[in-house]
Amino acid sequence: MLLDTASLYFRAYFGVPDSVRAPDGTPVNAVRGLLDFIARLVQDHRPDDLVACWDNDWRPHWRVELIPTYKAHRVAVETELGPDEEETPDTLAPQVPVIMDVLDALGIARVGADGYEADDVIGTLTGRATGPVDIVTGDRDLFQLVDDARGRRVLYPLKGVGTLQVTDEAWLREKYGVDGPGYVDLALLRGDPSDGLPGVPGIGEKTAAKLLDAFGDLAGIMAAVDDRTSKLTPSQRKRLDEARGYVAVAPKVVRVASDVPLPDFDPALPTEPRDPASLDELAARWGLGGALKRLLTTLQH
């Protein structure tokens, strides 16, 4: 089981009231919510391995060079050397280091790579896996990794993580008319305002799905632009022709990386904390006793 950790702690932050606070009054709603999410996921799905995938860089420079608008609206501070700072709610940012410390003390693998997003870590680990993979994320971009033959599916939270949309190829075909790899083409044609992906003007989700159904894939659609006998409407042909520059670079931006250099780590689900003393200290300092007890009980069973 691969967790898109930031996606889950953002969801926890907005789903758990900020009246949930540490003894010193600091909000810990994202921390507590994430721990409860993990406990529920382990209880319901019993994975052998669990990896909290991390955004070492939420807006990699190599993606921005290809599409400058990529996540641009979410930048709080641009930095010369390291990753740009993402705009996050004031009371969420201080909780992220606490989440890191707690996961590390528990012994839950937390894996990131400099210059890459958690999505890329998930793509790489999914590619390496020899058995089934469940990806837990609120980010539809990862639908591209769905592969029934290899047991790869996305568990997309609808209400917390107790109600998950199990995304497999049948669901993708019914909803979008594409399979996993086809989702990349659909997403880049449609665009995604939340990621600053412009898409092809005038080509929405339904039109993109129809074009992919008619011409197979992005390459087939662009070949149809050059084929005057193809059944593109004049406006579709014009829009796609004008978007050639975007269409040429967008696949590299939208497709998750599959070859990220990752550190060595142990993905096995821990049955007891790696560092009990640190965990006790964190539990006392941040008022996490109840949430940690629930999670540890689940891990031990």
Side-chain angles (χ1 to χ4, degrees):
M1 177 172 278
L2 304 176
L3 307 181
D4 181 1
T5 317
S7 163
L8 293 176
Y9 68 60
F10 263 94
R11 197 165 282 249
Y13 175 82
F14 288 108
V16 177
D18 75 354
S19 55
V20 173
R21 294 181 178 243
D24 70 357
T26 308
V28 287
N29 52 330
V31 187
R32 285 258 295 271
L34 180 67
L35 292 172
D36 283 339
F37 280 175
I38 293 173
R40 182 66 189 265
L41 288 164
V42 171
Q43 180 186 308
D44 289 356
H45 301 278
R46 290 284 156 202
D48 299 306
D49 297 327
L50 180 74
V51 182
C53 301
W54 207 259
D55 284 311
N56 279 23
D57 190 340
W58 65 281
R59 187 175 181 250
H61 185 62
W62 56 272
R63 282 194 167 103
V64 177
E65 279 192 322
L66 294 168
I67 297 181
T69 56
Y70 183 67
K71 295 187 178 177
H73 60 297
R74 284 154 55 181
V75 175
V77 179
E78 285 194 27
T79 59
E80 280 293 313
L81 298 171
D84 291 337
E85 285 182 33
E86 185 176 12
E87 205 167 81
T88 50
D90 290 346
T91 55
L92 172 57
Q95 297 187 57
V96 177
V98 181
I99 289 168
M100 294 165 75
D101 290 344
V102 170
L103 291 175
D104 293 349
L106 280 163
I108 290 174
R110 185 173 60 79
V111 181
D114 290 349
Y116 292 95
E117 301 176 52
D119 287 12
D120 301 312
V121 176
I122 290 170
T124 299
L125 290 174
T126 300
R128 286 185 189 175
T130 53
V133 179
D134 279 347
I135 298 159
V136 187
T137 181
D139 182 354
R140 294 185 300 171
D141 288 346
L142 289 165
F143 289 172
Q144 64 185 273
L145 296 173
V146 167
D147 183 340
D148 287 2
R150 300 175 80 174
R152 294 166 184 180
R153 57 189 193 165
V154 170
L155 306 179
Y156 184 92
L158 297 172
K159 194 175 178 191
V161 292
T163 310
L164 295 164
Q165 167 196 293
V166 177
T167 309
D168 56 12
E169 286 182 17
W171 189 91
L172 279 180
R173 284 200 193 91
E174 189 178 331
K175 174 79 175 169
Y176 299 111
V178 296
D179 59 7
Y183 190 81
V184 172
D185 293 347
L186 179 89
L188 70 86
L189 287 166
R190 173 195 66 202
D192 186 347
S194 69
D195 279 344
L197 279 180
V200 177
I203 307 276
E205 192 165 278
K206 285 183 179 164
T207 304
K210 280 180 186 162
L211 292 172
L212 288 166
D213 186 48
F215 302 107
D217 58 14
L218 188 65
I221 292 170
M222 297 315 289
V225 175
D226 297 323
D227 176 4
R228 292 291 158 186
T229 65
S230 69
K231 292 190 168 122
L232 286 171
T233 67
S235 69
Q236 287 169 351
R237 192 184 306 278
K238 181 172 184 289
R239 283 172 170 149
L240 287 160
D241 187 45
E242 288 170 351
R244 279 179 196 274
Y246 164 75
V247 169
V249 297
K252 191 172 179 194
V253 174
V254 177
R255 195 172 288 123
V256 299
S258 58
D259 56 354
V260 175
L262 297 176
D264 290 333
F265 65 95
D266 180 3
L269 194 66
T271 52
E272 52 190 40
R274 176 188 292 146
D275 188 341
S278 289
L279 199 62
D280 288 346
E281 202 177 294
L282 289 161
R285 181 177 176 190
W286 300 108
L288 303 172
L292 281 170
K293 192 174 176 187
R294 285 190 292 277
L295 176 52
L296 288 167
T297 303
T298 306
L299 290 171
Q300 283 158 5
H301 286 79

